[in-house]
Amino acid sequence: RKGVPVDPEQLRDRLLGALDDRARRVQSLEDYYTGDHPRPKPPEKLAPEAFREAVAAWRSLTRLGVTNWVKLVADAPANRIAVTGFRFGEATSGDGDAWRIWQRNHLDADQALVHDNALQTGQSAVLVWADKDGEPLITCEHSSQVIVAYEAGSRRRRRAALKRWQGDDGRVYCTLYLPNELRKYRTTAPRGAGQSIDGQQSWEPHEVPGEPWPLPNTLGVVPVVEFRANPSLRPSMFGGGVAEFEPVLPIQDRINKTVFDRMVTAESQA
């Protein structure tokens, strides 16, 4: 298809680039949710010594000046979302097999993690595979680590997905999920302490003992499902949605600025 790479490594790199962009956006939204909002800075035209003193005073006032309303905006709908059972077709009672799979994967509790992540960042995901006993394994995935690519013009047909994380050995790992196979990679060298896992990397196949490379995907479909909050009708190659509080961030910034200005006035008058 036009504009979509067909080579697995090209597709991997394109997904990694898109995940880099999304991870930065996700971090900004999560900072808002936790109350770490952008803060005003003192004018830099001050003399160096006066500027240092002003920065110290600014930091104290800006911490006090944050009024975090966006957390409530995301939490309100999240508290009302819960899966309580499954019914298929014309059935009038819940499906016991589906419910056992659900509970076996601890999704009574972990479903809230997916709901919260989607409402706070615009999207979340779950990965479906099989455990060592061949039983269905469903894991909840963070929106900064997983991204899904869709067929051109479609909001549902998944073309590929990718998950990236850092291992205990300092190397960055990623898995490319395709309908017919899984390709596992790792960086050729560990990342330094405090070094970000995003950006340009040098990759090599990650061959797991006892597994073929690439690993056949017997499901026949991309085993990653994206959950989008406030999605658009317009198809997007990498899906995604809009955080529940994203439209009101300018209002939150104005509230913070107003409270901060009032505190500066009160401090100077005091």
Side-chain angles (χ1 to χ4, degrees):
R1 290 172 175 82
K2 185 178 179 180
V4 179
V6 295
D7 179 81
E9 293 192 0
Q10 288 182 332
L11 184 57
R12 177 202 67 196
D13 291 344
R14 187 165 184 181
L15 282 162
L16 285 167
L19 186 58
D20 286 346
D21 293 340
R22 176 170 291 176
R24 287 188 286 270
R25 175 174 168 270
V26 164
Q27 185 62 61
S28 175
L29 292 167
E30 288 190 323
D31 286 346
Y32 264 104
Y33 178 80
T34 58
D36 186 10
H37 299 185
R39 297 172 183 175
K41 297 179 180 179
E44 298 189 14
K45 293 183 180 180
L46 298 172
E49 185 175 348
F51 181 75
R52 285 193 295 271
E53 293 178 359
V55 166
W58 237 258
R59 285 174 180 167
S60 176
L61 291 176
T62 53
R63 281 196 297 269
L64 296 173
V66 170
T67 306
N68 189 12
W69 292 108
V70 297
K71 185 177 188 300
L72 299 177
V73 175
D75 287 349
N79 292 335
R80 299 193 297 269
I81 301 174
V83 175
T84 58
F86 299 90
R87 286 189 298 184
F88 301 99
E90 301 298 324
T92 58
S93 59
D95 187 281
D97 290 337
W99 189 243
R100 280 190 291 274
I101 293 171
W102 180 263
Q103 292 191 310
R104 189 174 183 273
N105 285 278
H106 312 289
L107 292 174
D108 281 353
D110 288 356
Q111 61 172 304
L113 302 177
V114 176
H115 302 155
D116 289 345
N117 187 219
L119 291 168
Q120 293 166 20
T121 68
Q123 60 281 313
S124 189
V126 296
L127 171 61
V128 182
W129 200 241
D131 64 14
K132 58 183 178 60
D133 298 320
E135 295 289 337
L137 178 65
I138 305 173
T139 59
C140 306
E141 306 294 340
H142 194 271
S143 53
S144 66
Q145 292 186 307
V146 171
I147 192 165
V148 178
Y150 294 86
E151 298 284 2
S154 174
R155 295 183 298 110
R156 300 188 184 280
R157 294 193 304 274
R158 302 184 302 280
R159 174 179 175 79
L162 181 135
K163 177 179 179 178
R164 178 182 61 189
W165 71 98
Q166 187 163 12
D168 293 336
D169 58 359
R171 295 195 189 201
V172 181
Y173 292 79
C174 75
T175 300
L176 177 66
Y177 299 92
L178 299 169
N180 61 329
E181 64 185 19
L182 277 63
R183 291 175 172 255
K184 300 181 179 182
Y185 301 92
R186 66 181 180 182
T187 53
T188 55
R191 306 296 280 175
Q195 193 174 7
S196 173
I197 68 171
D198 60 0
Q200 193 68 31
Q201 310 266 15
S202 178
W203 299 94
E204 65 182 12
H206 176 215
E207 298 185 10
V208 178
E211 282 187 4
W213 197 99
L215 180 65
N217 179 1
T218 57
L219 296 176
V221 295
V222 174
V224 181
V225 179
E226 182 186 40
F227 287 80
R228 286 170 278 185
N230 306 301
S232 171
L233 184 61
R234 188 188 303 275
S236 171
M237 180 177 180
F238 300 113
V242 178
E244 191 72 7
F245 52 75
E246 207 162 350
V248 301
L249 289 182
I251 298 175
Q252 176 67 75
D253 289 340
R254 289 200 296 273
I255 292 172
N256 290 344
K257 179 66 165 60
T258 300
V259 173
F260 174 75
D261 288 347
R262 292 170 60 188
M263 294 184 66
V264 169
T265 300
E267 180 75 10
S268 63
Q269 294 298 316

